[in-house]
Amino acid sequence: MVLAGLLLGSSQLSALEIEPGVGAGLLYTDNAKLTADNEDDDLVVVGYAGVRIDEDNGPFRLNAEAEVIHLNYTSGSFGNQTYPALRTTAVWQQVPGRLDWQASNFFTQRETDSLEGRTPDNIQNTNVFTFGPDITFPHWGRHTLALNPRYRNFYYEDEGTDNQQYELPASWFYQLYPTFGVGLSGSVTQVDYDGGDNRASDYTRRVLQAGLSGTTVRSEYSLNLGGTDISRDGSGSTSGASGDLNWLYRMSGFSTARLFVSSDITDTGDLLLESEIDPDTGDFSNVQTSDDVVRNNIVRLTYRRDDATLGTAIWGEYRDLDYEGQESDRDVREVGADLDYRATALLTTGISGRYTLTDDADRDGDETRYSITGTVSYQ
């Protein structure tokens, strides 16, 4: 159980909003190192400081969230730990409706080995930086043509799989009816790994898909089907079908259900970025960071409800990961729930839990992991 006291305030000037926050908490664990034997009790003192900045000034928009969490293990299971995090997205509309510039940066911590526990000796800093323009050509009739070049830099503290990616996506969309349209999309991505002579093989990824999308009174949906080809430098190629289905259903004014189904040949960096942008496309903690090409098959169903006093998120996920190289294949099944109850305008309580079952090809038997966390916060 974590007891946190938050002191929050905001400063508004025109379209700029700044909301700082500080907090403190206590965490008790009867197995700090998550070992099968020689379990150690520990009381962890938690310190928190953070700030959220929103700027919407005409053609420029900025959303930034920065935080630092400090952990003091009072019984000495681990040394003191400090974990910074940053989530930033910025958009500049140079020519409204024609040319936007996009930049984002996600800095966080991830497990070095996804099958081990989230302890300080299994945590690595990770960072994903993305930059590029969105170019929309003048409309002719119901047709829309767009280019979205991107540069991405992936950094992993311990994995040695840092890489640069240069992507050129293009798309054409035709609005058949006000509520329905079809299109074609394709992209070419060059992936260059760092690391000198011992680095992984660079590769080129090509994707071509046809799709449709539409809306009804209560729902939004999109379907894309096509193929992906990955050619590694000097080591052959991998190709196969790819596609995704995304369906959002509004059950009421307060609740939605979303189904996400996808199958693609990709790399773990793209899966990390997708999870940071949209967590409902899959939990990256179920993925092992690697320089392997991976066939990622996933089905995820998410339910959300947010009314005056209770916020609810419930999800179920099945993910099948088939790595091309030496990384072990795995099947992951997960269910989870987050509940937040606003008891008063200043007091909020919450509880979250998840259950994960992993079948790893290189390990005997399934691995079962579950967690329950309770919180009390005062604003």
Side-chain angles (χ1 to χ4, degrees), residues 324-372:
E324 180 186 70
Q326 298 180 355
E327 198 67 55
S328 58
D329 298 341
R330 64 195 64 185
D331 294 333
V332 184
R333 300 166 179 83
E334 180 176 279
V335 293
D338 293 329
L339 303 175
D340 290 309
Y341 178 69
R342 290 175 283 277
T344 69
L346 302 179
L347 182 66
T348 302
T349 63
I351 186 169
S352 63
R354 65 175 59 197
Y355 173 86
T356 308
L357 179 66
T358 303
D359 179 12
D360 187 271
D362 287 349
R363 302 193 183 191
D364 294 333
D366 296 336
E367 180 190 81
T368 301
R369 182 183 302 177
Y370 62 89
S371 65
I372 300 175

Side-chain angles (χ1 to χ4, degrees), residues 100-330:
D100 296 349
W101 291 92
Q102 309 265 351
S104 68
N105 196 85
F106 301 102
F107 181 86
T108 185
Q109 288 75 40
R110 296 292 183 180
E111 290 89 344
T112 304
D113 185 339
S114 66
L115 294 180
E116 299 296 331
R118 192 173 178 84
T119 58
D121 56 7
N122 190 44
I123 293 294
Q124 65 170 335
N125 291 319
T126 63
N127 192 79
V128 183
F129 171 76
T130 303
F131 176 75
D134 287 336
I135 305 168
T136 303
F137 292 91
H139 295 264
W140 70 99
R142 301 179 181 182
H143 303 267
T144 302
L145 181 64
L147 294 176
N148 313 95
R150 289 291 184 270
Y151 164 76
R152 297 192 177 98
N153 181 290
F154 293 85
Y155 163 75
Y156 307 94
E157 181 181 16
D158 298 328
E159 286 293 321
T161 57
D162 302 350
N163 65 84
Q164 327 286 319
Q165 297 193 7
Y166 308 87
E167 181 183 23
L168 180 60
S171 62
W172 164 79
F173 184 75
Y174 180 68
Q175 193 77 48
L176 278 170
Y177 308 105
T179 58
F180 180 78
V182 298
L184 290 173
S185 62
S187 66
V188 177
T189 306
Q190 177 63 39
V191 180
D192 296 332
Y193 285 94
D194 303 341
D197 295 337
N198 296 323
R199 69 181 187 178
S201 297
D202 299 339
Y203 69 86
T204 302
R205 179 172 181 253
R206 301 175 181 86
V207 181
L208 181 62
Q209 295 181 338
L212 56 86
S213 62
T215 61
T216 67
V217 175
R218 288 183 173 267
S219 65
E220 301 173 11
Y221 62 89
S222 65
L223 174 66
N224 297 287
L225 297 173
T228 299
D229 174 79
I230 292 180
S231 301
R232 280 196 180 274
D233 294 353
S235 59
S237 63
T238 301
S239 60
S242 63
D244 61 79
L245 169 66
N246 205 331
W247 178 60
L248 177 70
Y249 181 72
R250 297 181 182 85
M251 306 176 71
S252 69
F254 303 99
S255 60
T256 61
R258 179 180 176 184
L259 174 66
F260 178 75
V261 182
S262 177
S263 179
D264 197 8
I265 307 172
T266 184
D267 62 73
T268 58
D270 281 345
L271 298 181
L272 169 61
L273 181 59
E274 290 171 5
S275 180
E276 288 289 340
I277 295 174
D278 185 357
D280 288 348
T281 61
D283 185 350
F284 185 77
S285 66
N286 297 327
V287 179
Q288 176 59 47
T289 300
S290 170
D291 57 22
D292 280 350
V293 170
V294 60
R295 163 69 76 171
N296 174 63
N297 303 308
I298 186 170
V299 179
R300 182 180 173 104
L301 181 62
T302 306
Y303 168 80
R304 295 187 181 277
R305 180 180 176 86
D306 191 8
D307 55 28
T309 58
L310 182 64
T312 305
I314 302 172
W315 70 90
E317 176 180 318
Y318 170 76
R319 191 195 291 268
D320 171 49
L321 294 164
D322 296 327
Y323 291 88
E324 180 186 70
Q326 298 180 355
E327 198 67 55
S328 58
D329 298 341
R330 64 195 64 185

